[in-house]
Amino acid sequence: MSILEQLNPAQREAAAATKGPVLVLAGAGSGKTRVLTYRIAHLIQEQGVAPWNILAVTFTNKAAGEMRERVEHLVGDLANEIWIGTFHSICARLLRYEAEHFGLDRSFSIYDEDDRRAAMRRVFEAYNINDKDLTPRSVIAQISRAKNAMVDPMTFASEAGQSANKKLIADLYTAYEADLRRNNALDFDDLLVETVRQFDNHPNVLEKYQQRFHYAHVDEYQDTNRPQYMLCRQLADHHRNLCVVGDDDQSIYQFRGADLRNILDFERDYPDAQTVRLEQNYRSTKRILEAANQVIANNKDRKGKALWTDGEEGHLIELVQCDTDRREARFVVESLRQLTGSGGYAPGDAAILYRTNAQSRALEEELQRSGLRYTIVGSIRFYERREIKDVLTYLRLLANPADDVGLRRIINVPRRGIGDTSLDYVQRHALNNGLNLFTAIGQLDFVEGLNARARKQIAAFRDIMEDLSAARKTAQLAELGQLVFERSGYLQMLRDENTPEAQMREENVEQLIAFMTEFSDTREEATLEAFLEEIALMSPMDETEGNGNAITLMTLHSAKGLEYPVVFMCGMEENLFPTARSVEESRRDPQAIEEERRLCYVGITRARERLYLTYTNRRYAYGNMIDCDPSRFLQEIPDELFSVKREVVDFNPRMRKPGQTRFGTSSQRESNRSGQQVRKKVVEKKMPKGVHYEWDAPKQASEDLFSDLVDQDDFLAVGQWVRHASWGKGQIVARDGQGENMKLSIRFGPHVKKVAVAYAQLEPA
DNA sequence: CAGGGACAAAATGAA
DNA sequence: TTTGTCCCTG
């Protein structure tokens, strides 16, 4: 009996169709990963295909790992021989394998957003650009768009025509590319574009892989961009056994060049393609599915399909209107407390989804207060933390000394007294002699202009790097990491700082080193390059694992491919979801809203049993309250699917400021004398002379928090314990207000330069 | 060169 | 409200 017997008829049809091009249109929760894994197992076990003749491409490492695991479950160790990976990792691998044929240096660095911005800043300096509305960021965006369209600098220039602006961008693009080449570096886009281009230029190399991959599979085909599309075509061109799986309704990566047309036109690209639709959903209740179907039905640009399920009607969807974002967070947390308490759900059963990462803050604060376990996917990514990036940059420089961007990042971290001026001398020497910075530093005696002090410091840095470089030949990966941490002086720097944050940073680096050990233990090819590549291509999803017992917070984008019994979608408001930008664009082009709607569809279909949709009347943005309207997507869900709409409002304990007064503020958490957790808020601002301010503050206060401020002579400090007070420098009046607030007002005398106002709230135990 | 203040900009999403 | 950059001073 074939293993395909375990599939439903549509799934079986898709998995059994192994000859020729196949398009599987798989709705959310219809078992597409199942189809892919069974198809691969079927090929290996029942059709006798060698695993190394099979290619499977996904978008995230997590998806790739999951697929390998599931195939392994079916066919055993043979699964290890299959080429499974993300587009980016497979391309990186191909570029390194074929480096000689392609004329590349195989130790190339992979630049992330930070690095490419740093590189672009250098280009800006070289071109002396001071134009206000030309930022490195915007130029990079344009270059990235060009790359995704497979437009190289020369083509870009020739298409620029008479437009001075375009010409300038073309120049910057050219210079940026030259810079990356000089640094022996590729950015994310390059990994894909270079591979396609190299294959174009080296048909004999391409042919090798075409021969090799008898069967190719591509997951999430709706999110492929131009180079990814071309790569698929290139690799599958010989055997033509290309199986693409996707859902046009879940295409959410247009912003990074994904082209919906790739999936919509698949049948045109391959007229002999067989198309299979998977429309039976095994995940969600009828009501949730109906909501999703109704929302997505408003899109025009789609193949059209309707999910259905045998499952239960299920619970009604909860629609909740909240006064503020803070109140919204509190509602979510209160609900979660119930659900995970008497509700019988585990924390790991629930996800909180939002449109933008910034929204996670209010939610996190409330969760922290509640003591519920949670993890956040992707907001402050581990590998983007400063200390981690710094240490990694040292390592990167050891692997690729030509990496000027990397060298600039760490040559003065920790502080060695090597400033821009000194580095400019080195740069000049490098430029004059066609060297990279690292090599230039090696010839310090020939660098002109440096004073003795700088020369000594740079020499010290050079010695460190040479030591590390020598150690690299013998040391294990983790040993090398530890050595970098110590020898660079980074560890000492953190120790000297002697703060809890520095302590935390030290622990983070230790964690990185632990990961290096694990990497060596589990990989056959545990080289420094392989390690750096893995980290560079890691997605935020990949960083969270083994937290099945915690509530997950993430963006809607990160949630794709996942499912949870309980899902909260927060911030269902116009100008947030859909974003202001798409609302704006949709005035000219009604289609512009469609990607947002697909994202909404993705969110809804993550839920298995319970779905909560929340929106607010007002929300903080850049430090001030803005009014919000409910999202149009809410109106697209039929009323009968909702339970009674709930409205949650309560006292807003934040400081309010009448008039146009603006304060700089900061808040921090600390313990008071009796060991209670206290949130302290300090407001300070340089004051114009003799101005009168008035505002509300909460009544509860903790006197001892402010004593340090009171003592400073150019500060006036006010806590609620002050009833009447006056200093020579100004006058303070505090009186009881209504409710939980008390009115504070201050009149400032002419010689007051600064004022600090602090109040504190006791945290609930 | 480093540290601090003033001021401007920021945040859609991500490999 | 937070973060980054520019400019000034010691």
Side-chain angles (χ1 to χ4, degrees):
Chain A
M1 194 176 87
S2 165
I3 52 167
L4 298 188
E5 296 297 319
Q6 296 169 39
L7 303 175
N8 76 25
Q11 292 174 338
R12 193 179 317 136
E13 187 191 348
T18 53
K19 289 284 165 244
V22 182
L23 167 64
V24 182
L25 286 169
S30 63
K32 80 185 154 78
T33 313
R34 195 172 158 85
V35 167
L36 276 174
T37 50
Y38 273 75
R39 186 180 205 268
I40 292 171
H42 171 65
L43 283 169
I44 294 174
Q45 269 185 350
E46 294 166 0
Q47 301 201 341
V49 178
W52 48 87
N53 290 141
I54 297 173
L55 172 72
V57 191
T58 62
F59 271 80
T60 65
N61 293 305
K62 192 174 184 213
E66 220 170 86
M67 190 177 303
R68 191 186 294 282
E69 213 170 281
R70 286 169 72 167
V71 175
E72 198 174 337
H73 195 69
L74 295 169
V75 306
D77 286 346
L78 284 175
N80 292 324
E81 304 292 325
I82 309 169
W83 274 61
I84 298 182
T86 64
F87 272 106
H88 289 86
S89 68
I90 284 178
C91 285
R93 197 170 357 156
L94 287 169
L95 289 173
R96 285 198 214 276
Y97 278 4
E98 303 300 336
E100 261 115 62
H101 293 117
F102 291 164
L104 294 169
D105 179 339
R106 70 157 42 93
S107 56
F108 60 82
S109 299
I110 298 172
Y111 278 5
D112 68 6
E113 280 322 304
D114 262 11
D115 301 320
R116 63 168 21 179
R117 209 169 297 173
M120 185 51 80
R121 265 197 291 272
R122 300 288 308 161
V123 173
F124 265 51
E125 277 168 36
Y127 273 69
N128 255 323
I129 300 206
N130 289 313
D131 199 333
K132 283 251 159 56
D133 38 38
L134 204 62
T135 62
R137 199 169 168 273
S138 71
V139 175
I140 280 175
Q142 292 190 63
I143 290 176
S144 184
R145 216 171 306 141
K147 285 187 178 181
N148 284 328
M150 301 285 298
V151 174
D152 63 22
M154 235 165 23
T155 318
F156 194 99
S158 68
E159 284 172 0
Q162 290 310 302
S163 162
N165 185 38
K166 280 266 169 58
K167 276 185 181 161
L168 177 59
I169 303 286
D171 285 349
L172 296 174
Y173 185 7
T174 311
Y176 169 82
E177 285 295 281
D179 217 46
L180 255 60
R181 287 305 103 86
R182 240 195 323 276
N183 293 354
N184 188 25
L186 298 173
D187 61 29
F188 284 128
D189 297 325
D190 286 336
L191 292 175
L192 307 171
V193 174
E194 264 309 297
T195 309
V196 171
R197 231 176 246 156
Q198 294 289 0
F199 273 156
D200 261 345
N201 296 336
H202 303 271
N204 53 326
V205 181
L206 173 59
E207 208 185 315
K208 192 167 78 188
Y209 290 97
Q210 288 179 333
Q211 299 283 355
R212 172 178 190 140
F213 298 129
H214 295 197
Y215 296 90
H217 304 81
V218 183
D219 194 11
E220 310 278 15
Y221 192 67
Q222 77 281 356
D223 284 328
T224 50
N225 62 20
R226 183 96 196 141
Q228 287 164 334
Y229 167 82
M230 291 174 77
L231 188 70
C232 295
R233 297 214 61 156
Q234 284 177 329
L235 289 175
D237 205 37
H238 182 75
H239 290 286
R240 290 180 56 84
N241 295 322
L242 174 63
C243 173
V244 304
V245 183
D247 179 0
D248 48 318
D249 290 333
Q250 293 189 64
S251 167
I252 54 172
Y253 282 109
Q254 261 171 40
F255 70 89
R256 64 176 197 213
D259 188 353
L260 197 47
R261 299 256 72 85
N262 291 345
I263 191 164
L264 295 178
D265 293 344
F266 187 81
E267 288 153 308
R268 195 179 311 162
D269 291 337
Y270 298 92
D272 54 333
Q274 189 177 342
T275 301
V276 184
R277 280 188 155 71
L278 304 181
E279 292 178 314
Q280 181 174 6
N281 174 290
Y282 293 96
R283 180 185 295 156
S284 311
T285 65
K286 280 205 169 75
R287 284 195 170 110
I288 290 170
L289 224 45
E290 177 62 10
N293 278 334
Q294 291 290 337
V295 168
I296 200 66
N298 292 285
N299 272 10
K300 300 225 160 49
D301 206 11
R302 60 192 292 249
K303 288 250 180 195
K305 80 182 132 33
L307 292 180
W308 60 275
T309 175
D310 275 344
E312 292 177 12
E313 201 71 19
H315 299 280
L316 289 162
I317 297 166
E318 301 281 341
L319 181 62
V320 187
Q321 177 180 11
C322 309
D323 197 32
T324 64
D325 51 347
R326 178 149 296 260
R327 192 63 191 84
E328 176 185 49
R330 201 161 334 146
F331 167 78
V332 171
V333 170
E334 274 163 20
S335 306
L336 280 167
R337 220 201 300 244
Q338 280 176 14
L339 287 163
T340 56
S342 54
Y345 287 99
D349 291 337
I352 306 173
L353 310 181
Y354 35 80
R355 182 59 182 76
T356 66
N357 275 314
Q359 286 168 256
S360 68
R361 187 181 301 168
L363 291 159
E364 190 182 6
E365 278 174 17
E366 283 304 318
L367 279 165
Q368 214 152 55
R369 202 178 300 229
S370 77
L372 289 168
R373 289 177 53 116
Y374 68 93
T375 56
I376 300 185
V377 175
S379 59
I380 326 135
R381 293 154 74 168
F382 182 76
Y383 292 103
E384 281 172 12
R385 288 177 196 189
R386 193 173 14 141
E387 65 276 17
I388 299 297
K389 276 212 78 173
D390 286 340
V391 173
L392 283 172
T393 305
Y394 272 97
L395 291 166
R396 211 172 73 189
L397 201 57
L398 291 175
N400 174 24
D403 188 345
D404 285 3
V405 173
L407 186 135
R408 279 177 179 278
R409 182 187 171 96
I410 48 101
I411 190 166
N412 204 27
V413 181
R415 293 252 132 76
R416 298 187 175 92
I418 305 171
D420 288 342
T421 326
S422 305
L423 211 47
D424 278 347
Y425 289 121
V426 179
Q427 173 83 67
R428 201 159 307 153
H429 177 77
L431 223 54
N432 291 339
N433 298 281
L435 308 170
N436 57 54
L437 288 176
F438 196 87
T439 315
I441 285 171
Q443 315 176 344
L444 210 48
D445 293 344
F446 302 99
V447 178
E448 286 167 20
L450 286 174
N451 62 39
R453 214 178 91 87
R455 199 174 289 275
K456 198 173 135 220
Q457 299 297 338
I458 295 175
F461 172 77
R462 181 198 59 202
D463 292 344
I464 292 170
M465 293 311 287
E466 276 172 3
D467 281 3
L468 291 171
S469 197
R472 190 194 157 195
K473 299 197 175 71
T474 53
Q476 289 277 310
L477 196 51
E479 288 168 6
L480 187 62
Q482 187 69 38
L483 214 53
V484 164
F485 194 25
E486 288 165 14
R487 195 69 182 79
S488 64
Y490 210 97
L491 176 61
Q492 197 55 49
M493 174 184 80
L494 293 179
R495 294 255 167 95
D496 290 345
E497 212 179 297
N498 197 22
T499 61
E501 292 86 68
Q503 172 78 32
M504 180 94 82
R505 291 184 193 283
E506 186 181 333
E507 281 163 20
N508 284 337
V509 177
E510 298 295 348
Q511 205 178 321
L512 175 73
I513 293 168
F515 182 62
M516 295 172 92
T517 309
E518 188 197 321
F519 187 86
S520 313
D521 291 347
T522 53
R523 297 311 146 95
E524 283 170 36
E525 199 208 351
T527 61
L528 180 57
E529 283 86 355
F531 177 75
L532 293 171
E533 179 179 307
E534 167 126 342
I535 303 265
L537 300 180
M538 198 103 98
S539 73
M541 284 304 311
D542 304 325
E543 291 178 24
T544 42
E545 45 179 329
N547 41 41
N549 205 25
I551 297 157
T552 311
L553 280 72
M554 66 190 140
T555 63
L556 287 152
H557 280 87
S558 293
K560 192 167 69 153
L562 305 176
E563 58 175 56
Y564 295 88
V566 180
V567 168
F568 288 82
M569 287 171 72
C570 298
M572 299 294 295
E573 295 138 35
E574 286 291 297
N575 297 321
L576 179 60
F577 189 31
T579 58
R581 180 189 278 237
S582 63
V583 170
E584 180 64 34
E585 259 176 64
S586 71
R587 276 194 256 280
R588 279 169 288 117
D589 172 19
Q591 303 274 90
I593 217 81
E594 297 207 343
E595 174 142 316
E596 295 288 305
R597 188 174 282 113
R598 288 192 292 267
L599 193 55
C600 183
Y601 175 79
V602 167
I604 294 172
T605 53
R606 294 315 93 196
R608 287 221 295 255
E609 298 163 15
R610 290 176 186 273
L611 179 62
Y612 292 79
L613 303 173
T614 65
Y615 63 97
T616 67
N617 300 329
R618 291 173 298 142
R619 165 181 302 281
Y620 263 95
Y622 299 115
N624 45 17
M625 278 285 192
I626 52 160
D627 291 329
C628 307
D629 293 319
S631 168
R632 68 187 69 190
F633 301 144
L634 293 174
Q635 285 150 34
E636 295 170 0
I637 299 175
D639 283 345
E640 64 265 25
L641 293 176
F642 288 121
S643 75
V644 183
K645 190 177 97 176
R646 278 196 254 178
E647 216 171 312
V648 288
V649 187
D650 69 0
F651 168 69
N652 169 22
R654 282 174 185 258
M655 189 171 279
R656 252 201 309 279
K657 302 149 296 192
Q660 298 301 311
T661 319
R662 296 286 300 260
F663 294 92
T665 76
S666 63
S667 62
Q668 56 203 92
R669 217 169 267 278
E670 53 184 72
S671 301
N672 67 4
R673 279 173 199 159
S674 47
Q676 270 173 303
Q677 277 291 301
V678 177
R679 176 200 301 279
K680 171 173 143 186
K681 192 142 198 161
V682 180
V683 185
E684 47 181 276
K685 177 71 182 173
K686 215 171 204 172
M687 287 296 161
K689 289 176 186 175
V691 186
H692 180 258
Y693 289 96
E694 194 175 51
W695 66 89
D696 295 324
K699 213 179 246 175
Q700 273 188 327
S702 173
E703 188 172 337
D704 47 338
L705 280 175
F706 313 123
S707 47
D708 52 329
L709 287 169
V710 179
D711 293 337
Q712 295 178 32
D713 63 358
D714 60 344
F715 278 87
L716 293 177
V718 185
Q720 287 88 330
W721 74 93
V722 180
R723 292 282 130 171
H724 295 277
S726 84
W727 278 269
K729 291 164 180 173
Q731 190 186 30
I732 299 172
V733 183
R735 62 166 206 269
D736 280 321
Q738 279 161 1
E740 294 179 78
N741 269 3
M742 118 185 317
K743 187 81 66 188
L744 293 178
S745 73
I746 303 185
R747 191 181 305 279
F748 298 103
H751 38 274
V752 174
K753 290 200 194 103
K754 244 181 192 175
V755 63
V757 177
Y759 71 91
Q761 281 177 277
L762 294 177
E763 304 272 307

